[in-house]
Amino acid sequence: MLQSSGLYPRTKNHSRVLNTFMCHSPSVRLYMGRTDVRKNSQEENPPYFSKQIRENLESRMWATTAFPSTAEYNADLSMKKTVTDPSNTSIILFPGQGTVRVGCIREYMKFPRVKELFTIANEILGYNLMKICLNGPQKVLDRTEFNQPATTVCSLAALEKLLDERPRAIESCVAVAGYSVGELTALMFSGAMTYEDGLKLVAIRATAMQNASEISSQGMLSCYCTAASSTSKICKEAESWARDMGAPNPLCRYYK
């Protein structure tokens, strides 16, 4: 299964979200500035609803658009093409499922807001995610229903270390991207959705995928392909091979 990442451009509100992220006031919750900011904002529809940006995303073969064809947009909003010096900017990438190991969050626990992230996650998920991440066992953490929420929270927790060691990387962030469940993490950090709403969506996604994986034996393979690759043909050959091996109803699909 091949799945591409989504690239989400920085918006006017994104800088405010980053400012919220940088804020150490106890009255400001991490990653939640967007909702409060927009209550008092007089701005028009945010730039990520613009037709120009949506078409720009769709024109990039390596990026998926976050906007459905029916999404409203501000037709009068123009997108100025500018040249950006990559040495002065950064793009933050968020990983997908399978990157979390038991105990990997210990280095982040010294940051107070990491504990807050896990406290909120525990309330939303209905179980102690921090305990699973710290103590495992790995077999439990590897289950999709736990691994996807863990990947999301651990990715956001890692930003605290990045902020401490390389604050410029966050201050100069112009876009975020993610692979698979990492796309949802990217949307949370960009301010497109709150941490609570995003984590609820991650939990639903993880539970659905866990249930689907238990219906029949299955697996997923990530691969790099050239433009000339006949991926659909390879999938058909794989189905034929599985059928010859005795699989009753083999199904092989690719996503990009």
Side-chain angles (χ1 to χ4, degrees):
M1 179 184 293
L2 179 65
Q3 185 171 347
S4 67
S5 61
L7 182 69
Y8 305 101
R10 179 176 178 173
T11 68
K12 293 178 182 178
N13 280 337
H14 179 75
S15 61
R16 297 188 181 185
V17 173
L18 290 180
N19 288 336
T20 300
F21 175 70
M22 296 289 289
C23 180
H24 291 267
S25 170
S27 63
V28 180
R29 272 193 168 181
L30 190 59
Y31 313 111
M32 300 170 198
R34 175 82 186 270
T35 303
D36 295 332
V37 168
R38 294 210 63 203
K39 287 180 180 179
N40 300 319
S41 174
Q42 300 300 319
E43 294 179 350
E44 297 178 352
N45 291 336
Y48 53 79
F49 278 121
S50 72
K51 181 179 180 181
Q52 290 82 359
I53 291 181
R54 184 168 65 200
E55 291 177 347
N56 185 46
L57 285 174
E58 291 172 344
S59 68
R60 301 174 184 173
M61 298 304 293
W62 44 265
T64 57
T65 174
F67 317 109
S69 58
T70 57
E72 297 181 359
Y73 59 87
N74 188 341
D76 297 327
L77 191 62
S78 62
M79 179 181 176
K80 296 181 179 179
K81 189 174 181 179
T82 59
V83 178
T84 303
D85 183 357
S87 64
N88 296 325
T89 58
S90 67
I91 295 177
I92 297 178
L93 309 178
F94 295 96
Q97 179 180 348
T99 58
V100 179
R101 296 292 179 267
V102 171
C104 69
I105 65 167
R106 294 187 190 281
E107 62 179 312
Y108 309 136
M109 297 309 298
K110 63 182 179 180
F111 302 107
R113 288 186 294 185
V114 171
K115 295 179 181 179
E116 183 183 5
L117 282 175
F118 277 100
T119 297
I120 296 172
N122 292 345
E123 294 176 358
I124 292 174
L125 300 172
Y127 58 84
N128 196 327
L129 179 65
M130 185 170 69
K131 183 178 180 180
I132 296 176
C133 289
L134 286 173
N135 304 320
Q138 188 67 46
K139 184 177 181 180
V140 173
L141 183 57
D142 285 342
R143 287 179 61 86
T144 298
E145 60 185 308
F146 301 126
N147 199 281
Q148 290 191 14
T151 300
T152 299
V153 180
C154 289
S155 296
L156 295 176
L159 293 177
E160 284 295 309
K161 181 178 180 180
L162 182 63
L163 176 62
D164 182 63
E165 297 181 354
R166 298 174 56 192
R168 179 60 184 163
I170 289 182
E171 295 170 1
S172 61
C173 179
V174 295
V176 290
Y179 177 79
S180 192
V181 73
E183 289 196 59
L184 297 179
T185 314
L187 288 170
M188 292 181 217
F189 179 66
S190 72
M193 64 176 69
T194 65
Y195 175 57
E196 292 98 336
D197 288 344
L199 197 55
K200 289 176 184 178
L201 182 57
V202 169
I204 293 172
R205 180 184 193 270
T207 300
M209 291 180 67
Q210 179 67 51
N211 292 338
S213 70
E214 295 174 353
I215 294 176
S216 61
S217 299
Q218 55 187 279
M220 181 174 68
L221 174 68
S222 296
C223 58
Y224 294 95
C225 302
T226 65
S229 299
S230 301
T231 314
S232 58
K233 180 181 178 181
I234 294 173
C235 287
K236 290 181 180 179
E237 292 176 351
E239 288 181 350
S240 178
W241 176 85
R243 196 174 293 108
D244 293 340
M245 294 298 292
N249 296 299
L251 182 65
C252 183
R253 294 289 183 268
Y254 76 98
Y255 300 90
K256 63 179 181 178

